[in-house]
Amino acid sequence: MREINFTDDEIIKLKYLIDTINPGPRSKFTIITLKKIQTCVCIAHNISIEDLTGKIRTQPYVMARIDFCYLAYKYITQNKTKIAKAIGRNHNSGIGNLLKKTPSLKITKIQKILFNAS
């Protein structure tokens, strides 16, 4: 039988691929809700939930709403009316406009908080 030699980087990549393909018992499912996304967005943007659902239209609050809409649309539902009601809006046209905008640079931080929190 032929001997195969791997570098350390290749071994790390192979272990990652094996864990991805066949996760062991240590992996668990993460349940994501609109409320959980709201909380994670508020933590990352350092605002309160009342500010997220409020009527103030300054940049920090609008960027938080854009991030919330992006994550809710991506992970929970594609029903814009449900997303609008979660942030205190009653029209999905505003949510459609928020979804057209690019999420902030904090989106990766929010996703890490969302998926690492239990």
Side-chain angles (χ1 to χ4, degrees):
M1 181 149 91
R2 202 171 101 200
E3 184 177 331
I4 300 173
N5 294 321
F6 293 109
T7 65
D8 290 338
D9 290 336
E10 291 172 335
I11 291 172
I12 293 171
K13 289 178 184 176
L14 285 171
K15 285 182 181 180
Y16 176 75
L17 286 173
I18 290 170
D19 288 343
T20 304
I21 294 170
N22 186 15
R26 66 184 177 346
S27 69
K28 57 185 177 182
F29 293 100
T30 303
I31 298 173
I32 302 171
T33 61
L34 289 173
K35 188 71 172 171
K36 192 171 183 180
I37 292 175
Q38 276 182 343
T39 306
C40 294
V41 167
C42 290
I43 289 170
H45 284 276
N46 199 19
I47 61 172
S48 68
I49 292 181
E50 290 79 24
D51 292 334
L52 183 70
T53 59
K55 297 192 181 288
I56 300 172
R57 291 191 271 174
T58 57
Q59 185 183 11
Y61 305 117
V62 172
M63 290 309 294
R65 290 181 197 123
I66 289 170
D67 289 346
F68 172 78
C69 292
Y70 174 80
L71 291 171
Y73 192 79
K74 183 175 181 181
Y75 294 116
I76 301 288
T77 180
Q78 294 188 350
N79 186 341
K80 294 176 189 169
T81 306
K82 286 183 183 177
I83 297 171
K85 289 186 187 285
I87 56 172
R89 306 294 187 271
N90 57 4
H91 296 289
N92 65 4
S93 61
I95 302 304
N97 290 332
L98 289 176
L99 286 170
K100 291 178 186 174
K101 299 189 185 324
T102 307
S104 71
L105 298 175
K106 295 181 182 181
I107 199 75
T108 55
K109 179 180 177 182
I110 297 168
Q111 287 174 335
K112 284 181 184 175
I113 294 170
L114 186 63
F115 290 112
N116 291 334
S118 345

